[in-house]
Amino acid sequence: MNGTQDPSASGADAPRRSDATRGAILAAARERFASDGYERATIRAIAKDAHIDPSMVMRYYRNKEGLFAAAVDIDLRLPDLTGANRRRDAGRILVEHFLDVWEDNEVLTALLRVGVTNPAGAERMQGILRDQLLPVARQACPDPEQAPWRSALMASQLLGLALTRYVLRMPPATGLARAEVVAWLAPTIQRYLTAPNP
Amino acid sequence: MNGTQDPSASGADAPRRSDATRGAILAAARERFASDGYERATIRAIAKDAHIDPSMVMRYYRNKEGLFAAAVDIDLRLPDLTGANRRRDAGRILVEHFLDVWEDNEVLTALLRVGVTNPAGAERMQGILRDQLLPVARQACPDPEQAPWRSALMASQLLGLALTRYVLRMPPATGLARAEVVAWLAPTIQRYLTAPNP
DNA sequence: GTCTATAATTCGATAGAC
DNA sequence: GTCTATCGAATTATAGAC
């Protein structure tokens, strides 16, 4: 899993020639998938953005599905929440981290846009949350056995924020200052993560 | 704005002949838009589901966009929250109402799926929330001037729940019992609606 | 009102020259 | 490695017979 940079590190294989082209394709693909969704993001348009021939995309990524899979391979790098101090501030830390990640990472917008329409995209989004948010919940919540549904509650609020603020771009949601969002959502996340069963 | 029933009431015009066909088309369109999204829901498939000819769809609704607009015209019928008792329970009432509406109404799933990809769909979803959730917030929140961003916070949690539970169908989110969802989310909504500025 | 036929695009994917 | 040309399929939308 790689971030948005450094195409030479995509996967465990040895670095290939002309990774510059591959990187340009992936960057263009992320933008198109993020803004248009899976169906409307055409290989032709992506290739045009990357200033290369459409057939190159097929050559490198086999088909559209392969291109998408490569474009949304991402590591959220969720912060470590072990330690009493950080566990107390887990809500604030998580909300701030999610705002950071979403604000300058179109990969997540693409993933959400596609996950809503495409079953494979939904599966991949679930996988990322399962592999990355679930362990965090296991770390910080009172009973590790409750981690699955506690992380589901957190996901509902965090993805809902992303949906209204970054995807639908609803005016009142985009108008909220970053600090206000943190102030209102941090207690919610903290409660979903650590509060006793109501 | 009509609900999912009674095609003869679609719009302010006089009832037309063969509203049965129109109703069948709208029902099929809602299902297809909900399950496939805007792009993949083809007029051909919708017509086939409704057991009519594809050209009839064009005749009745002009084009695909017109069909979608007619299919997602909906009234959420949010409950009245005036009165001290109901204002205290506003969070629980709203969460329960949203669960009711989402669980047997594929229109909202369709609207969310399309709103994420299609700008016109996003606009329509914003319109519904603005016209229906905002007044509720104005009724029940301490300062009516704060209603816009308070309703945005509520929308982020409620739409996030819908996203994870009904659209992405993430296992831990779908596994939560209705009562558990209400127990966890009601305090969140209540706080977003009535808590003083943090 | 209903259906057939088809126009006009557009897409993903392939084959092959250079 | 790169590009041209194109196939085959699918789509929205229209025109017109019955």
Side-chain angles (χ1 to χ4, degrees):
Chain A
M1 307 194 197
N2 64 332
T4 54
Q5 328 279 354
D6 194 4
S8 69
S10 58
D13 327 80
R16 278 161 298 204
R17 261 196 310 284
S18 92
D19 274 335
T21 306
R22 293 181 119 88
I25 293 175
L26 286 187
R30 291 191 189 102
E31 266 188 47
R32 283 287 176 176
F33 282 129
S35 64
D36 299 345
Y38 187 81
E39 326 291 338
R40 306 186 66 149
T42 68
I43 289 183
R44 287 169 150 82
I46 291 168
K48 191 170 206 173
D49 290 351
H51 301 100
I52 53 107
D53 193 88
S55 65
M56 290 287 88
V57 178
M58 308 298 294
R59 179 175 180 84
Y60 288 150
Y61 299 102
R62 247 187 72 90
N63 52 29
K64 193 175 182 178
E65 210 170 309
L67 172 61
F68 178 74
V72 299
D73 197 8
I74 187 182
D75 185 358
L76 291 183
R77 302 188 184 282
L78 289 184
D80 182 26
L81 291 181
T82 49
N85 286 347
R86 296 181 68 77
R87 193 170 304 192
R88 243 188 14 196
D89 285 337
R92 183 183 55 77
I93 293 173
L94 282 175
V95 173
E96 283 178 343
H97 183 78
F98 262 85
L99 285 171
D100 285 341
V101 170
W102 279 91
E103 253 158 32
D104 60 5
N105 199 332
E106 54 204 354
V107 179
L108 288 171
T109 306
L111 197 54
L112 182 51
R113 271 221 164 85
V114 173
V116 165
T117 301
N118 187 282
E123 175 65 34
R124 188 162 282 267
M125 164 135 274
Q126 289 177 31
I128 288 183
L129 291 177
R130 172 167 27 83
D131 296 342
Q132 305 193 46
L133 189 56
L134 188 60
V136 169
R138 231 190 292 270
Q139 259 182 18
C141 80
D143 179 359
E145 201 168 322
Q146 300 177 340
W149 56 263
R150 285 187 185 271
S151 63
L153 289 173
M154 290 191 290
S156 79
Q157 175 61 94
L158 292 172
L159 289 183
L161 172 68
L163 177 71
T164 53
R165 190 176 171 94
Y166 300 113
V167 176
L168 296 179
R169 309 191 77 85
M170 298 172 58
T174 56
L176 281 174
R178 178 194 161 90
E180 295 177 308
V181 174
V182 173
W184 280 102
L185 261 62
T188 302
I189 300 300
Q190 183 73 38
R191 186 163 60 83
Y192 291 164
L193 187 62
T194 64
N197 245 324
Chain B
M1 310 204 189
N2 63 332
T4 54
Q5 328 280 355
D6 194 5
S8 68
S10 55
D13 327 82
R16 278 161 296 205
R17 260 195 310 284
S18 90
D19 275 335
T21 306
R22 293 182 122 88
I25 293 175
L26 286 187
R30 289 191 190 102
E31 266 189 47
R32 283 287 177 177
F33 282 131
S35 63
D36 299 346
Y38 186 81
E39 326 292 339
R40 307 187 67 149
T42 68
I43 290 182
R44 286 168 149 81
I46 291 169
K48 190 170 206 175
D49 291 352
H51 301 99
I52 53 107
D53 192 88
S55 64
M56 289 288 88
V57 179
M58 309 298 294
R59 178 174 179 85
Y60 289 150
Y61 300 101
R62 244 186 75 88
N63 52 27
K64 195 175 180 178
E65 210 171 310
L67 172 61
F68 177 74
V72 298
D73 197 8
I74 188 181
D75 185 359
L76 289 183
R77 302 187 184 284
L78 289 185
D80 183 26
L81 291 181
T82 48
N85 285 346
R86 296 179 69 77
R87 193 171 302 192
R88 242 187 15 195
D89 286 338
R92 182 184 55 78
I93 293 173
L94 281 175
V95 173
E96 283 178 344
H97 184 79
F98 261 85
L99 284 171
D100 285 343
V101 170
W102 279 90
E103 253 157 31
D104 59 6
N105 199 332
E106 53 204 355
V107 180
L108 288 171
T109 306
L111 196 53
L112 182 51
R113 271 220 165 86
V114 173
V116 165
T117 301
N118 188 282
E123 175 65 33
R124 188 162 282 267
M125 166 134 273
Q126 289 178 30
I128 288 182
L129 291 178
R130 172 167 28 84
D131 295 343
Q132 305 193 44
L133 189 56
L134 188 60
V136 169
R138 230 189 293 269
Q139 258 181 19
C141 81
D143 179 359
E145 201 167 321
Q146 301 177 339
W149 57 263
R150 285 187 183 270
S151 63
L153 288 172
M154 291 192 289
S156 78
Q157 174 62 91
L158 293 172
L159 289 183
L161 172 69
L163 178 70
T164 54
R165 191 176 171 94
Y166 300 113
V167 176
L168 296 179
R169 308 191 78 85
M170 299 172 56
T174 55
L176 282 173
R178 178 194 162 92
E180 295 176 309
V181 174
V182 173
W184 281 103
L185 261 62
T188 301
I189 300 300
Q190 183 73 37
R191 187 163 60 83
Y192 292 164
L193 187 61
T194 62
N197 245 324

